[in-house]
Amino acid sequence: MKRLVGRLLALLLLSALSLQLFFLARIALMGVVDPQSTAFQRSEAWRLLVEKHELAWSQEWSDRVSPHLGRAVIASEDAGFAEHGGVEWDAIEKAWERNQKSEARAEKLNEQAEKRAANGKVATPPRKVEAKVVGGSTISQQLAKNLFLSGERTAPRKAQEFLITFMLEALLGKQRILAIYLNSVEWGEGVFGAQAAARHYFRVDAAQLGPAQAARLAVMLPAPKRFEKNPGSAYVAGRSATIQARMGAVELP
């Protein structure tokens, strides 16, 4: 029995090591070859085919993305991008604390709503309050997740995200990481990469994006499908003005 357990553990360890070597080789190749798709893009393609029975898709790699977009995305998503080693531990800790408070608040509101329903004080069943979850991920971490991983929130997946992030930082460097991120990130349903986003929202090429346009695209990144429905909203306008004001202080890698 002990021998069988030992063999199983050795097999698991070998499988885990092989997976890391696979990721390492794929990332090394990205240093010279532009990735054609990401795990997130493939899952989205499958979802669109299943739900809508069509694949409305737009993506085109561009080596001439406006520097305004790089500055806007860094200002909005990851101000310390050029300095950190891939992970900002302080940001993760703060996000965890905020999420704990949000989950506690949602749980309390749901309990209160259930009590009111049980006492007959409301005519319809209460709508469950969902905790608002915020992330502390850097651009490098977001790219690691998009390239290879699922969107589930588990400890093993997060640990794998950290490992891939460190591989990206070690093998590619900041400039290449940013280039791949801008050319693969989602900017709407079936809209991936800076070139597709620039054409979709502004009818220009990615190289021609101005500061205001770049700032508006950066605002959309946390929830592109939601903002796509109303890209000219007051929130997008106000937030993009804030980002544009910060862009001058951003140095590109």
Side-chain angles (χ1 to χ4, degrees):
M1 186 65 179
K2 290 183 178 180
R3 182 177 296 179
L4 177 60
V5 171
R7 287 179 178 177
L8 288 174
L9 289 175
L11 182 60
L12 287 173
L13 183 59
L14 181 61
S15 299
L17 180 59
S18 298
L19 182 61
Q20 304 315 311
L21 291 175
F22 168 76
F23 288 143
L24 197 67
R26 286 285 305 276
I27 291 169
L29 187 61
M30 289 178 194
V32 292
V33 178
D34 300 331
Q36 297 301 304
S37 66
T38 68
F40 177 73
Q41 290 172 354
R42 292 188 291 273
S43 69
E44 276 295 289
W46 178 251
R47 182 187 65 81
L48 289 172
L49 283 173
V50 171
E51 293 181 2
K52 300 191 175 183
H53 308 292
E54 63 177 3
L55 186 56
W57 196 268
S58 180
Q59 182 181 19
E60 180 182 346
W61 185 280
S62 175
D63 290 319
R64 298 181 62 248
V65 176
S66 168
H68 296 305
L69 184 60
R71 291 190 178 94
V73 169
I74 291 173
S76 176
E77 296 285 291
D78 186 3
F81 176 68
E83 287 79 33
H84 63 62
V87 177
E88 283 207 304
W89 300 106
D90 289 344
I92 291 175
E93 182 179 356
K94 290 177 182 178
W96 185 84
E97 291 174 352
R98 289 178 63 183
N99 290 337
Q100 290 294 103
K101 292 178 181 178
S102 178
E103 289 173 3
R105 180 176 179 275
E107 185 177 349
K108 182 178 180 180
L109 290 174
N110 287 327
E111 288 177 355
Q112 292 173 347
E114 289 173 3
K115 288 180 181 178
R116 288 196 298 269
N119 294 332
K121 294 182 179 180
V122 291
T124 58
R127 183 177 179 182
K128 188 175 181 180
V129 177
E130 297 291 341
K132 184 178 180 181
V133 178
V134 297
S137 297
T138 64
I139 287 173
S140 302
Q141 286 177 265
Q142 292 176 44
L143 180 59
K145 180 180 68 174
N146 289 346
L147 282 171
F148 299 113
L149 305 175
S150 68
E152 63 180 349
R153 294 177 179 274
T154 63
R157 193 210 63 82
K158 196 66 178 180
Q160 182 64 76
E161 178 188 302
F162 287 148
L163 287 174
I164 295 174
T165 297
F166 297 138
M167 293 179 195
L168 289 169
E169 291 277 342
L171 296 178
L172 300 184
K174 299 291 187 179
Q175 191 173 26
R176 184 62 173 166
I177 287 172
L178 183 61
I180 296 175
Y181 180 82
L182 294 178
N183 275 286
S184 62
V185 72
E186 182 187 37
W187 258 298
E189 189 166 89
V191 180
F192 288 91
Q195 178 66 13
R199 297 300 305 171
H200 181 71
Y201 294 106
F202 303 113
R203 303 294 187 269
V204 300
D205 290 328
Q208 298 172 315
L209 289 169
Q213 295 169 325
R216 282 182 175 268
L217 288 180
V219 174
M220 300 179 69
L221 285 178
K225 293 187 184 72
R226 175 161 59 90
F227 289 126
E228 182 185 26
K229 297 174 182 177
N230 190 10
S233 68
Y235 173 82
V236 172
R239 175 66 179 161
S240 63
T242 300
I243 292 173
Q244 195 173 347
R246 296 174 179 172
M247 288 165 56
V250 173
E251 290 188 14
L252 292 175

PDB file of all heavy atoms in Angstrom, residues 19-20 23 39 135 137 140-165:
ATOM      1  N   LEU A  19       3.718  19.975 -16.372  1.00  0.00           N
ATOM      2  CA  LEU A  19       2.835  21.105 -16.678  1.00  0.00           C
ATOM      3  C   LEU A  19       3.600  22.423 -16.602  1.00  0.00           C
ATOM      4  O   LEU A  19       3.453  23.292 -17.467  1.00  0.00           O
ATOM      5  CB  LEU A  19       1.654  21.116 -15.713  1.00  0.00           C
ATOM      6  CG  LEU A  19       0.622  22.225 -15.937  1.00  0.00           C
ATOM      7  CD1 LEU A  19      -0.020  22.106 -17.319  1.00  0.00           C
ATOM      8  CD2 LEU A  19      -0.448  22.184 -14.843  1.00  0.00           C
ATOM      9  N   GLN A  20       4.451  22.555 -15.587  1.00  0.00           N
ATOM     10  CA  GLN A  20       5.231  23.787 -15.454  1.00  0.00           C
ATOM     11  C   GLN A  20       6.221  23.944 -16.612  1.00  0.00           C
ATOM     12  O   GLN A  20       6.434  25.053 -17.115  1.00  0.00           O
ATOM     13  CB  GLN A  20       5.978  23.815 -14.117  1.00  0.00           C
ATOM     14  CG  GLN A  20       5.101  23.655 -12.886  1.00  0.00           C
ATOM     15  CD  GLN A  20       3.841  24.498 -12.922  1.00  0.00           C
ATOM     16  OE1 GLN A  20       3.868  25.690 -13.203  1.00  0.00           O
ATOM     17  NE2 GLN A  20       2.699  23.865 -12.639  1.00  0.00           N
ATOM     18  N   PHE A  23       4.273  25.191 -19.595  1.00  0.00           N
ATOM     19  CA  PHE A  23       4.049  26.636 -19.507  1.00  0.00           C
ATOM     20  C   PHE A  23       5.336  27.406 -19.817  1.00  0.00           C
ATOM     21  O   PHE A  23       5.316  28.419 -20.518  1.00  0.00           O
ATOM     22  CB  PHE A  23       3.542  27.011 -18.116  1.00  0.00           C
ATOM     23  CG  PHE A  23       2.128  26.591 -17.827  1.00  0.00           C
ATOM     24  CD1 PHE A  23       1.768  26.145 -16.564  1.00  0.00           C
ATOM     25  CD2 PHE A  23       1.161  26.633 -18.806  1.00  0.00           C
ATOM     26  CE1 PHE A  23       0.466  25.759 -16.284  1.00  0.00           C
ATOM     27  CE2 PHE A  23      -0.154  26.250 -18.548  1.00  0.00           C
ATOM     28  CZ  PHE A  23      -0.502  25.811 -17.276  1.00  0.00           C
ATOM     29  N   ALA A  39      -6.362  31.117 -23.467  1.00  0.00           N
ATOM     30  CA  ALA A  39      -7.360  30.212 -22.889  1.00  0.00           C
ATOM     31  C   ALA A  39      -8.689  30.932 -22.709  1.00  0.00           C
ATOM     32  O   ALA A  39      -9.763  30.364 -22.963  1.00  0.00           O
ATOM     33  CB  ALA A  39      -6.860  29.675 -21.550  1.00  0.00           C
ATOM     34  N   GLY A 135     -10.223  42.935  -7.277  1.00  0.00           N
ATOM     35  CA  GLY A 135      -8.972  42.198  -7.451  1.00  0.00           C
ATOM     36  C   GLY A 135      -7.766  43.074  -7.185  1.00  0.00           C
ATOM     37  O   GLY A 135      -7.838  44.286  -7.271  1.00  0.00           O
ATOM     38  N   SER A 137      -4.852  42.171  -8.804  1.00  0.00           N
ATOM     39  CA  SER A 137      -3.939  41.592  -9.789  1.00  0.00           C
ATOM     40  C   SER A 137      -3.226  42.667 -10.610  1.00  0.00           C
ATOM     41  O   SER A 137      -3.812  43.677 -10.975  1.00  0.00           O
ATOM     42  CB  SER A 137      -4.700  40.662 -10.740  1.00  0.00           C
ATOM     43  OG  SER A 137      -5.257  39.578 -10.050  1.00  0.00           O
ATOM     44  N   SER A 140       0.643  41.740 -15.315  1.00  0.00           N
ATOM     45  CA  SER A 140       1.309  40.456 -15.536  1.00  0.00           C
ATOM     46  C   SER A 140       0.444  39.296 -15.061  1.00  0.00           C
ATOM     47  O   SER A 140       0.348  38.257 -15.728  1.00  0.00           O
ATOM     48  CB  SER A 140       2.666  40.427 -14.820  1.00  0.00           C
ATOM     49  OG  SER A 140       3.504  41.473 -15.272  1.00  0.00           O
ATOM     50  N   GLN A 141      -0.198  39.446 -13.914  1.00  0.00           N
ATOM     51  CA  GLN A 141      -1.078  38.395 -13.405  1.00  0.00           C
ATOM     52  C   GLN A 141      -2.304  38.217 -14.283  1.00  0.00           C
ATOM     53  O   GLN A 141      -2.740  37.094 -14.541  1.00  0.00           O
ATOM     54  CB  GLN A 141      -1.518  38.726 -11.970  1.00  0.00           C
ATOM     55  CG  GLN A 141      -0.446  38.527 -10.923  1.00  0.00           C
ATOM     56  CD  GLN A 141      -0.931  38.952  -9.554  1.00  0.00           C
ATOM     57  OE1 GLN A 141      -0.703  40.075  -9.127  1.00  0.00           O
ATOM     58  NE2 GLN A 141      -1.623  38.062  -8.865  1.00  0.00           N
ATOM     59  N   GLN A 142      -2.873  39.321 -14.731  1.00  0.00           N
ATOM     60  CA  GLN A 142      -4.037  39.240 -15.614  1.00  0.00           C
ATOM     61  C   GLN A 142      -3.677  38.516 -16.903  1.00  0.00           C
ATOM     62  O   GLN A 142      -4.459  37.699 -17.412  1.00  0.00           O
ATOM     63  CB  GLN A 142      -4.556  40.643 -15.919  1.00  0.00           C
ATOM     64  CG  GLN A 142      -5.162  41.358 -14.724  1.00  0.00           C
ATOM     65  CD  GLN A 142      -5.570  42.783 -15.057  1.00  0.00           C
ATOM     66  OE1 GLN A 142      -6.161  43.042 -16.094  1.00  0.00           O
ATOM     67  NE2 GLN A 142      -5.241  43.723 -14.186  1.00  0.00           N
ATOM     68  N   LEU A 143      -2.483  38.808 -17.431  1.00  0.00           N
ATOM     69  CA  LEU A 143      -2.049  38.135 -18.651  1.00  0.00           C
ATOM     70  C   LEU A 143      -1.830  36.645 -18.391  1.00  0.00           C
ATOM     71  O   LEU A 143      -2.221  35.806 -19.214  1.00  0.00           O
ATOM     72  CB  LEU A 143      -0.761  38.761 -19.176  1.00  0.00           C
ATOM     73  CG  LEU A 143      -0.193  38.140 -20.466  1.00  0.00           C
ATOM     74  CD1 LEU A 143      -1.200  38.241 -21.609  1.00  0.00           C
ATOM     75  CD2 LEU A 143       1.123  38.809 -20.860  1.00  0.00           C
ATOM     76  N   ALA A 144      -1.218  36.299 -17.266  1.00  0.00           N
ATOM     77  CA  ALA A 144      -1.001  34.888 -16.917  1.00  0.00           C
ATOM     78  C   ALA A 144      -2.319  34.130 -16.883  1.00  0.00           C
ATOM     79  O   ALA A 144      -2.438  33.020 -17.437  1.00  0.00           O
ATOM     80  CB  ALA A 144      -0.296  34.791 -15.566  1.00  0.00           C
ATOM     81  N   LYS A 145      -3.319  34.726 -16.250  1.00  0.00           N
ATOM     82  CA  LYS A 145      -4.634  34.079 -16.162  1.00  0.00           C
ATOM     83  C   LYS A 145      -5.275  33.952 -17.537  1.00  0.00           C
ATOM     84  O   LYS A 145      -5.788  32.891 -17.901  1.00  0.00           O
ATOM     85  CB  LYS A 145      -5.543  34.885 -15.229  1.00  0.00           C
ATOM     86  CG  LYS A 145      -6.932  34.296 -15.061  1.00  0.00           C
ATOM     87  CD  LYS A 145      -7.768  35.134 -14.125  1.00  0.00           C
ATOM     88  CE  LYS A 145      -8.101  36.484 -14.738  1.00  0.00           C
ATOM     89  NZ  LYS A 145      -9.037  37.268 -13.896  1.00  0.00           N
ATOM     90  N   ASN A 146      -5.253  35.028 -18.324  1.00  0.00           N
ATOM     91  CA  ASN A 146      -5.896  35.004 -19.636  1.00  0.00           C
ATOM     92  C   ASN A 146      -5.238  34.001 -20.578  1.00  0.00           C
ATOM     93  O   ASN A 146      -5.909  33.325 -21.361  1.00  0.00           O
ATOM     94  CB  ASN A 146      -5.864  36.390 -20.273  1.00  0.00           C
ATOM     95  CG  ASN A 146      -6.788  37.377 -19.586  1.00  0.00           C
ATOM     96  OD1 ASN A 146      -7.648  36.985 -18.806  1.00  0.00           O
ATOM     97  ND2 ASN A 146      -6.607  38.655 -19.848  1.00  0.00           N
ATOM     98  N   LEU A 147      -3.921  33.891 -20.513  1.00  0.00           N
ATOM     99  CA  LEU A 147      -3.193  33.022 -21.432  1.00  0.00           C
ATOM    100  C   LEU A 147      -3.478  31.542 -21.203  1.00  0.00           C
ATOM    101  O   LEU A 147      -3.666  30.777 -22.157  1.00  0.00           O
ATOM    102  CB  LEU A 147      -1.688  33.267 -21.308  1.00  0.00           C
ATOM    103  CG  LEU A 147      -1.115  34.506 -21.980  1.00  0.00           C
ATOM    104  CD1 LEU A 147       0.348  34.691 -21.571  1.00  0.00           C
ATOM    105  CD2 LEU A 147      -1.225  34.414 -23.502  1.00  0.00           C
ATOM    106  N   PHE A 148      -3.519  31.130 -19.930  1.00  0.00           N
ATOM    107  CA  PHE A 148      -3.492  29.701 -19.652  1.00  0.00           C
ATOM    108  C   PHE A 148      -4.575  29.163 -18.723  1.00  0.00           C
ATOM    109  O   PHE A 148      -4.793  27.949 -18.707  1.00  0.00           O
ATOM    110  CB  PHE A 148      -2.135  29.322 -19.035  1.00  0.00           C
ATOM    111  CG  PHE A 148      -0.952  29.599 -19.907  1.00  0.00           C
ATOM    112  CD1 PHE A 148      -0.025  30.573 -19.554  1.00  0.00           C
ATOM    113  CD2 PHE A 148      -0.756  28.898 -21.082  1.00  0.00           C
ATOM    114  CE1 PHE A 148       1.086  30.835 -20.343  1.00  0.00           C
ATOM    115  CE2 PHE A 148       0.346  29.149 -21.888  1.00  0.00           C
ATOM    116  CZ  PHE A 148       1.267  30.116 -21.523  1.00  0.00           C
ATOM    117  N   LEU A 149      -5.228  30.013 -17.935  1.00  0.00           N
ATOM    118  CA  LEU A 149      -6.022  29.504 -16.820  1.00  0.00           C
ATOM    119  C   LEU A 149      -7.512  29.795 -16.953  1.00  0.00           C
ATOM    120  O   LEU A 149      -7.938  30.591 -17.780  1.00  0.00           O
ATOM    121  CB  LEU A 149      -5.500  30.114 -15.508  1.00  0.00           C
ATOM    122  CG  LEU A 149      -4.014  29.909 -15.239  1.00  0.00           C
ATOM    123  CD1 LEU A 149      -3.599  30.667 -13.992  1.00  0.00           C
ATOM    124  CD2 LEU A 149      -3.688  28.427 -15.101  1.00  0.00           C
ATOM    125  N   SER A 150      -8.288  29.137 -16.105  1.00  0.00           N
ATOM    126  CA  SER A 150      -9.730  29.372 -16.042  1.00  0.00           C
ATOM    127  C   SER A 150     -10.020  30.547 -15.119  1.00  0.00           C
ATOM    128  O   SER A 150      -9.126  31.080 -14.463  1.00  0.00           O
ATOM    129  CB  SER A 150     -10.441  28.122 -15.517  1.00  0.00           C
ATOM    130  OG  SER A 150     -10.107  27.910 -14.153  1.00  0.00           O
ATOM    131  N   GLY A 151     -11.267  30.928 -15.044  1.00  0.00           N
ATOM    132  CA  GLY A 151     -11.642  32.060 -14.198  1.00  0.00           C
ATOM    133  C   GLY A 151     -12.061  31.674 -12.799  1.00  0.00           C
ATOM    134  O   GLY A 151     -12.477  32.543 -12.025  1.00  0.00           O
ATOM    135  N   GLU A 152     -11.954  30.406 -12.439  1.00  0.00           N
ATOM    136  CA  GLU A 152     -12.373  29.969 -11.107  1.00  0.00           C
ATOM    137  C   GLU A 152     -11.477  30.571 -10.031  1.00  0.00           C
ATOM    138  O   GLU A 152     -10.306  30.847 -10.259  1.00  0.00           O
ATOM    139  CB  GLU A 152     -12.351  28.444 -11.023  1.00  0.00           C
ATOM    140  CG  GLU A 152     -10.973  27.830 -11.205  1.00  0.00           C
ATOM    141  CD  GLU A 152     -11.010  26.320 -11.122  1.00  0.00           C
ATOM    142  OE1 GLU A 152     -12.050  25.777 -10.722  1.00  0.00           O
ATOM    143  OE2 GLU A 152      -9.985  25.694 -11.443  1.00  0.00           O
ATOM    144  N   ARG A 153     -12.056  30.742  -8.841  1.00  0.00           N
ATOM    145  CA  ARG A 153     -11.322  31.341  -7.726  1.00  0.00           C
ATOM    146  C   ARG A 153     -10.990  30.264  -6.698  1.00  0.00           C
ATOM    147  O   ARG A 153     -11.750  30.023  -5.759  1.00  0.00           O
ATOM    148  CB  ARG A 153     -12.153  32.463  -7.083  1.00  0.00           C
ATOM    149  CG  ARG A 153     -12.380  33.642  -8.004  1.00  0.00           C
ATOM    150  CD  ARG A 153     -13.277  34.683  -7.341  1.00  0.00           C
ATOM    151  NE  ARG A 153     -13.485  35.841  -8.200  1.00  0.00           N
ATOM    152  CZ  ARG A 153     -12.686  36.890  -8.264  1.00  0.00           C
ATOM    153  NH1 ARG A 153     -11.617  36.942  -7.497  1.00  0.00           N
ATOM    154  NH2 ARG A 153     -12.946  37.896  -9.071  1.00  0.00           N
ATOM    155  N   THR A 154      -9.865  29.579  -6.904  1.00  0.00           N
ATOM    156  CA  THR A 154      -9.417  28.557  -5.969  1.00  0.00           C
ATOM    157  C   THR A 154      -7.951  28.804  -5.639  1.00  0.00           C
ATOM    158  O   THR A 154      -7.229  29.447  -6.400  1.00  0.00           O
ATOM    159  CB  THR A 154      -9.570  27.148  -6.559  1.00  0.00           C
ATOM    160  OG1 THR A 154      -8.723  27.021  -7.719  1.00  0.00           O
ATOM    161  CG2 THR A 154     -11.014  26.882  -6.974  1.00  0.00           C
ATOM    162  N   ALA A 155      -7.528  28.257  -4.504  1.00  0.00           N
ATOM    163  CA  ALA A 155      -6.140  28.435  -4.082  1.00  0.00           C
ATOM    164  C   ALA A 155      -5.145  27.814  -5.071  1.00  0.00           C
ATOM    165  O   ALA A 155      -4.138  28.447  -5.408  1.00  0.00           O
ATOM    166  CB  ALA A 155      -5.940  27.865  -2.675  1.00  0.00           C
ATOM    167  N   PRO A 156      -5.385  26.578  -5.569  1.00  0.00           N
ATOM    168  CA  PRO A 156      -4.437  26.011  -6.540  1.00  0.00           C
ATOM    169  C   PRO A 156      -4.329  26.830  -7.817  1.00  0.00           C
ATOM    170  O   PRO A 156      -3.229  26.992  -8.363  1.00  0.00           O
ATOM    171  CB  PRO A 156      -5.018  24.614  -6.815  1.00  0.00           C
ATOM    172  CG  PRO A 156      -5.799  24.282  -5.591  1.00  0.00           C
ATOM    173  CD  PRO A 156      -6.388  25.578  -5.148  1.00  0.00           C
ATOM    174  N   ARG A 157      -5.477  27.350  -8.307  1.00  0.00           N
ATOM    175  CA  ARG A 157      -5.414  28.158  -9.526  1.00  0.00           C
ATOM    176  C   ARG A 157      -4.646  29.454  -9.292  1.00  0.00           C
ATOM    177  O   ARG A 157      -3.882  29.910 -10.136  1.00  0.00           O
ATOM    178  CB  ARG A 157      -6.821  28.472 -10.048  1.00  0.00           C
ATOM    179  CG  ARG A 157      -6.797  29.028 -11.481  1.00  0.00           C
ATOM    180  CD  ARG A 157      -7.947  29.972 -11.742  1.00  0.00           C
ATOM    181  NE  ARG A 157      -7.889  31.155 -10.909  1.00  0.00           N
ATOM    182  CZ  ARG A 157      -7.132  32.227 -11.169  1.00  0.00           C
ATOM    183  NH1 ARG A 157      -6.340  32.256 -12.221  1.00  0.00           N
ATOM    184  NH2 ARG A 157      -7.141  33.267 -10.361  1.00  0.00           N
ATOM    185  N   LYS A 158      -4.841  30.065  -8.128  1.00  0.00           N
ATOM    186  CA  LYS A 158      -4.125  31.292  -7.800  1.00  0.00           C
ATOM    187  C   LYS A 158      -2.629  31.028  -7.678  1.00  0.00           C
ATOM    188  O   LYS A 158      -1.799  31.833  -8.126  1.00  0.00           O
ATOM    189  CB  LYS A 158      -4.663  31.889  -6.493  1.00  0.00           C
ATOM    190  CG  LYS A 158      -4.263  33.350  -6.274  1.00  0.00           C
ATOM    191  CD  LYS A 158      -4.896  34.259  -7.316  1.00  0.00           C
ATOM    192  CE  LYS A 158      -4.543  35.719  -7.074  1.00  0.00           C
ATOM    193  NZ  LYS A 158      -5.155  36.610  -8.093  1.00  0.00           N
ATOM    194  N   ALA A 159      -2.267  29.898  -7.081  1.00  0.00           N
ATOM    195  CA  ALA A 159      -0.851  29.543  -6.960  1.00  0.00           C
ATOM    196  C   ALA A 159      -0.231  29.346  -8.341  1.00  0.00           C
ATOM    197  O   ALA A 159       0.897  29.787  -8.599  1.00  0.00           O
ATOM    198  CB  ALA A 159      -0.703  28.274  -6.127  1.00  0.00           C
ATOM    199  N   GLN A 160      -0.977  28.702  -9.239  1.00  0.00           N
ATOM    200  CA  GLN A 160      -0.474  28.519 -10.601  1.00  0.00           C
ATOM    201  C   GLN A 160      -0.340  29.865 -11.309  1.00  0.00           C
ATOM    202  O   GLN A 160       0.613  30.079 -12.073  1.00  0.00           O
ATOM    203  CB  GLN A 160      -1.423  27.617 -11.386  1.00  0.00           C
ATOM    204  CG  GLN A 160      -0.961  27.319 -12.805  1.00  0.00           C
ATOM    205  CD  GLN A 160       0.334  26.539 -12.852  1.00  0.00           C
ATOM    206  OE1 GLN A 160       0.358  25.342 -12.613  1.00  0.00           O
ATOM    207  NE2 GLN A 160       1.438  27.218 -13.151  1.00  0.00           N
ATOM    208  N   GLU A 161      -1.254  30.767 -11.036  1.00  0.00           N
ATOM    209  CA  GLU A 161      -1.175  32.114 -11.615  1.00  0.00           C
ATOM    210  C   GLU A 161       0.115  32.817 -11.184  1.00  0.00           C
ATOM    211  O   GLU A 161       0.786  33.457 -12.004  1.00  0.00           O
ATOM    212  CB  GLU A 161      -2.384  32.938 -11.182  1.00  0.00           C
ATOM    213  CG  GLU A 161      -2.391  34.379 -11.690  1.00  0.00           C
ATOM    214  CD  GLU A 161      -3.505  35.196 -11.082  1.00  0.00           C
ATOM    215  OE1 GLU A 161      -4.684  34.795 -11.236  1.00  0.00           O
ATOM    216  OE2 GLU A 161      -3.220  36.224 -10.429  1.00  0.00           O
ATOM    217  N   PHE A 162       0.462  32.689  -9.918  1.00  0.00           N
ATOM    218  CA  PHE A 162       1.707  33.297  -9.436  1.00  0.00           C
ATOM    219  C   PHE A 162       2.917  32.718 -10.168  1.00  0.00           C
ATOM    220  O   PHE A 162       3.807  33.458 -10.603  1.00  0.00           O
ATOM    221  CB  PHE A 162       1.871  33.071  -7.928  1.00  0.00           C
ATOM    222  CG  PHE A 162       0.954  33.902  -7.072  1.00  0.00           C
ATOM    223  CD1 PHE A 162       0.484  33.421  -5.868  1.00  0.00           C
ATOM    224  CD2 PHE A 162       0.567  35.169  -7.468  1.00  0.00           C
ATOM    225  CE1 PHE A 162      -0.357  34.185  -5.072  1.00  0.00           C
ATOM    226  CE2 PHE A 162      -0.281  35.948  -6.684  1.00  0.00           C
ATOM    227  CZ  PHE A 162      -0.745  35.444  -5.484  1.00  0.00           C
ATOM    228  N   LEU A 163       2.955  31.394 -10.311  1.00  0.00           N
ATOM    229  CA  LEU A 163       4.089  30.753 -10.975  1.00  0.00           C
ATOM    230  C   LEU A 163       4.226  31.216 -12.421  1.00  0.00           C
ATOM    231  O   LEU A 163       5.324  31.540 -12.887  1.00  0.00           O
ATOM    232  CB  LEU A 163       3.927  29.231 -10.921  1.00  0.00           C
ATOM    233  CG  LEU A 163       4.152  28.565  -9.565  1.00  0.00           C
ATOM    234  CD1 LEU A 163       3.810  27.082  -9.637  1.00  0.00           C
ATOM    235  CD2 LEU A 163       5.592  28.751  -9.098  1.00  0.00           C
ATOM    236  N   ILE A 164       3.110  31.264 -13.147  1.00  0.00           N
ATOM    237  CA  ILE A 164       3.148  31.706 -14.538  1.00  0.00           C
ATOM    238  C   ILE A 164       3.557  33.174 -14.624  1.00  0.00           C
ATOM    239  O   ILE A 164       4.300  33.576 -15.526  1.00  0.00           O
ATOM    240  CB  ILE A 164       1.786  31.479 -15.213  1.00  0.00           C
ATOM    241  CG1 ILE A 164       1.482  29.982 -15.288  1.00  0.00           C
ATOM    242  CG2 ILE A 164       1.759  32.093 -16.612  1.00  0.00           C
ATOM    243  CD1 ILE A 164       0.091  29.655 -15.803  1.00  0.00           C
ATOM    244  N   THR A 165       3.080  33.975 -13.678  1.00  0.00           N
ATOM    245  CA  THR A 165       3.445  35.391 -13.654  1.00  0.00           C
ATOM    246  C   THR A 165       4.949  35.572 -13.529  1.00  0.00           C
ATOM    247  O   THR A 165       5.560  36.369 -14.258  1.00  0.00           O
ATOM    248  CB  THR A 165       2.743  36.110 -12.483  1.00  0.00           C
ATOM    249  OG1 THR A 165       1.324  36.051 -12.676  1.00  0.00           O
ATOM    250  CG2 THR A 165       3.174  37.570 -12.395  1.00  0.00           C
TER     251      THR A 165
END
